[in-house]
Amino acid sequence: MTENDKPTARNRDDQDSLGGRVKRYARVGSAFGGLAARYAGGRIFGLTIDRPVHAAELTAALGGLKGPLMKVAQILATVPDMLPEEYTAELAQLQTNAPSMGWAFVKRRMTAELGPNWRDRFATFEHQAAAAASLGQVHRAVAHDGRRLACKLQYPDMASAVEADLKQLKLVFSIYRRYDRAIDPTNIHAELSARLREELDYDREARHMAIYDRMLSGEPGVHVPEPVPELCTDRLLSMTWLDGESLLSFVDQHMDDRNTVARNMFRAWYVPFYEYGILHGDPHLGNYTVRPDGAVNLMDFGCIRVFNADFIGAVIDLYWALCRDDLDLAVHAYETWGFSNMDRKVIDILNQWARFLYQPLMEDRVQRIQDNGGTMYGAQVAGKIHRELREIGGITPPREFVLMDRAAIGLGSVFTRLQAEVNWHRMFHELIQDFDVKAVAKRQKSVLEDQNLPLPE
Ligand SMILES: Nc1ncnc2c1ncn2[C@@H]1O[C@H](COP(=O)(O)OP(=O)(O)O)[C@@H](O)[C@H]1O
Ligand SMILES: [Mg+2]
């Protein structure tokens, strides 16, 4: 063994961590193997697959994923009925149990980000990761001014892992396409590719965070971390630590508290959307916590969608179209969103979907989101829409549609879990009563330019 080959503390640690990650990826294949066996002949991608070879083909394709698994799980969950819930749960589970970078590895990564004297820049920096992130991990630290910090540090080589997964996802989508033509996922892939690539850029995320802080500055029930620019790079995001509990720990609280949380979540998502045309596209349970007073800590600004203000106008137009049974206005809204070649059948199917989502907003009364049938009803509506889409040869949802739909569904399930009883109609009307497309465009331009971010096309 030459001097160079000897395992030093440095590269031993490296090997352990990387070995751990490789193992994690290898487990994906075997985990899916078991699921595929259970699902062969069962439902995959929303339809019955009778030939086990199809299940095997999909399993092989999914097993080839090697990067940020949690994101992939979330992406696949975006296409309704594409994967059985067990698949998505399994993917998320693999991520949660992923081994973290060891201390020696972290030191080297931090040196690469902030230079050899990086430790002098913090009062303390915890060796153990406090939480897993999809592209890295989060460490607690304390700044010299005493502020408690969360430092999100990216794994090395994530750019190539993301590219490899996007390529693999294309394959998964094309297999899906051969079984089911209800939804053409081309634009979904394009949209999620753009967002995932942006997510690699923590500097951009810090700017998104600053924008959110500004957009939500009038909201006492929503808190946003503050980035610490001198401790941030493209691959390291240092921000103030926000204390809170998982939303799930609120599920058993008194109804007033649950309603408060629900209202704060609604404001956190929809004030930026209706006033600025900006949406947090990832209402995943790990991306917010709740304070004892019911205020929401909003985190993770890696998946932010900026919409053309006209698009938001169409969201509101569609609401009025449904309230007034105005077919022309509905068509105008769908066209503004980028749907094309719409005949009566397509409009009919889209209206069924829209009525389902808008229902809780349309009646001026206190109600639970699930009052209109609950999650089972949701699955039934989705199933019916899916079948009808297949019958007419399928549709291609426009890019913008993807995250808007995902946010609505994600928030709906949060409100269902909370069993919140709220007058959604009033909350919605408060947001849209002064709506003006030009004012939205102007506010949006101002917050984006302030952070040197591009305007939407
Ligand atoms: N400012 C913060 N304060 C407290 N915990 C945080 C903060 N930012 C992130 N976390 C924790 O780290 C986890 C991962 O961070 P997140 O930004 O969601 O990463 P990712 O973009 O990879 O999903 C979160 O689920 C949360 O538990
Ligand atoms: Mg997250």
Side-chain angles (χ1 to χ4, degrees):
M1 190 183 263
T2 69
E3 190 61 27
N4 281 344
D5 292 330
K6 259 188 210 153
T8 61
R10 263 178 68 146
N11 67 26
R12 218 176 20 241
D13 178 75
D14 222 351
Q15 280 160 3
D16 285 350
S17 305
L18 287 173
R21 281 172 56 209
V22 170
K23 261 187 244 129
R24 157 169 70 127
Y25 300 143
R27 269 166 48 217
V28 182
S30 52
F32 280 130
L35 279 169
R38 252 187 286 152
Y39 273 90
R43 258 165 55 92
I44 294 186
F45 291 170
L47 66 155
T48 306
I49 294 179
D50 37 27
R51 279 171 295 170
V53 61
H54 290 173
E57 193 181 1
L58 281 169
T59 302
L62 285 163
L65 293 168
K66 56 200 201 102
L69 297 172
M70 195 146 58
K71 291 294 152 185
V72 169
Q74 290 165 9
I75 290 171
L76 294 175
T78 307
V79 185
D81 265 0
M82 182 163 175
L83 282 184
E85 221 169 273
E86 285 84 347
Y87 266 83
T88 355
E90 188 73 41
L91 275 164
Q93 188 62 21
L94 287 168
Q95 177 76 35
T96 312
N97 296 336
S100 53
M101 292 186 273
W103 176 236
F105 202 169
V106 168
K107 283 194 290 193
R108 240 186 9 274
R109 287 285 304 111
M110 288 299 288
T111 304
E113 297 308 322
L114 294 178
N117 299 325
W118 69 271
R119 287 187 85 172
D120 301 340
R121 316 267 298 267
F122 297 89
T124 64
F125 191 98
E126 279 189 16
H127 292 200
Q128 289 274 347
S134 53
L135 308 180
Q137 61 195 37
V138 174
H139 286 255
R140 282 177 184 268
V142 177
H144 284 304
D145 62 12
R147 278 186 297 174
R148 291 183 307 128
L149 305 179
C151 298
K152 181 156 90 169
L153 177 63
Q154 199 171 106
Y155 296 133
D157 305 324
M158 273 297 130
S160 52
V162 165
E163 290 310 317
D165 274 4
L166 288 175
K167 225 166 126 191
Q168 194 67 14
L169 260 191
K170 219 173 203 158
L171 178 67
V172 171
F173 278 14
S174 74
I175 295 172
Y176 161 75
R177 205 50 195 139
R178 271 193 271 133
Y179 301 141
D180 187 349
R181 306 196 71 79
I183 291 169
D184 180 342
T186 314
N187 290 337
I188 300 178
H189 190 270
E191 174 69 10
L192 294 163
S193 301
R195 298 285 85 77
L196 253 177
R197 288 185 184 122
E198 274 181 16
E199 186 152 5
L200 287 160
D201 182 355
Y202 285 177
D203 174 59
R204 188 186 185 104
E205 183 172 347
R207 287 181 278 157
H208 286 155
M209 196 178 283
I211 287 179
Y212 262 77
D213 189 46
R214 194 171 142 194
M215 294 189 296
L216 293 166
S217 60
E219 297 298 317
V222 188
H223 302 275
V224 174
E226 208 180 301
V228 184
E230 63 274 21
L231 299 173
C232 288
T233 67
D234 290 353
R235 308 271 174 264
L236 171 69
L237 174 50
S238 300
M239 60 194 136
T240 50
W241 183 276
L242 300 182
D243 284 311
E245 298 271 335
S246 160
L247 177 112
L248 294 179
S249 67
F250 260 70
V251 167
D252 301 323
Q253 302 276 319
H254 188 269
M255 189 170 71
D256 289 345
D257 299 327
R258 285 183 277 119
N259 290 345
T260 304
V261 176
R263 278 196 214 95
N264 288 333
M265 288 290 288
F266 189 94
R267 301 283 300 177
W269 253 264
Y270 289 121
V271 167
F273 186 65
Y274 288 108
E275 291 184 6
Y276 296 84
I278 297 178
L279 183 71
H280 187 302
D282 201 358
H284 169 267
L285 275 179
N287 290 340
Y288 44 82
T289 54
V290 184
R291 298 187 179 199
D293 65 353
V296 168
N297 297 319
L298 187 57
M299 298 182 280
D300 194 349
F301 300 88
C303 183
I304 300 301
R305 216 315 163 171
V306 181
F307 296 86
N308 195 302
D310 290 335
F311 192 94
I312 314 298
V315 174
I316 296 170
D317 283 344
L318 184 57
Y319 169 76
W320 292 119
L322 293 172
C323 291
R324 297 170 188 154
D325 257 329
D326 183 338
L327 194 67
D328 290 341
L329 188 58
V331 171
H332 174 71
Y334 295 133
E335 281 174 354
T336 308
W337 285 357
F339 282 98
S340 52
N341 300 327
M342 284 192 305
D343 59 22
R344 190 56 211 245
K345 276 231 72 122
V346 175
I347 297 163
D348 227 51
I349 298 172
L350 288 176
N351 275 347
Q352 284 181 50
W353 162 86
R355 233 175 247 119
F356 174 68
L357 282 186
Y358 281 79
Q359 185 69 43
L361 305 177
M362 288 166 63
E363 284 169 71
D364 186 5
R365 65 176 174 99
V366 171
Q367 63 174 323
R368 289 188 180 180
I369 283 281
Q370 68 271 36
D371 272 358
N372 56 358
T375 43
M376 243 342 269
Y377 179 56
Q380 278 165 13
V381 172
K384 179 160 181 282
I385 291 175
H386 209 95
R387 272 195 308 281
E388 292 182 15
L389 284 176
R390 220 177 292 140
E391 277 160 24
I392 60 156
I395 52 158
T396 309
R399 273 183 74 156
E400 287 85 350
F401 188 78
V402 179
L403 293 179
M404 189 183 66
D405 194 44
R406 169 164 147 195
I409 299 286
L411 281 182
S413 78
V414 166
F415 300 146
T416 303
R417 278 193 187 200
L418 286 170
Q419 303 198 314
E421 298 183 8
V422 169
N423 188 326
W424 309 101
H425 174 89
R426 294 241 169 114
M427 292 211 67
F428 178 64
H429 275 254
E430 262 169 47
L431 276 180
I432 64 161
Q433 61 190 1
D434 298 323
F435 180 82
D436 171 51
V437 171
K438 286 209 182 86
V440 169
K442 197 172 157 200
R443 282 193 288 267
Q444 181 186 82
K445 185 163 183 272
S446 159
V447 294
L448 290 174
E449 282 182 351
D450 194 40
Q451 292 296 327
N452 279 318
L453 286 165
L455 302 177
E457 295 118 38

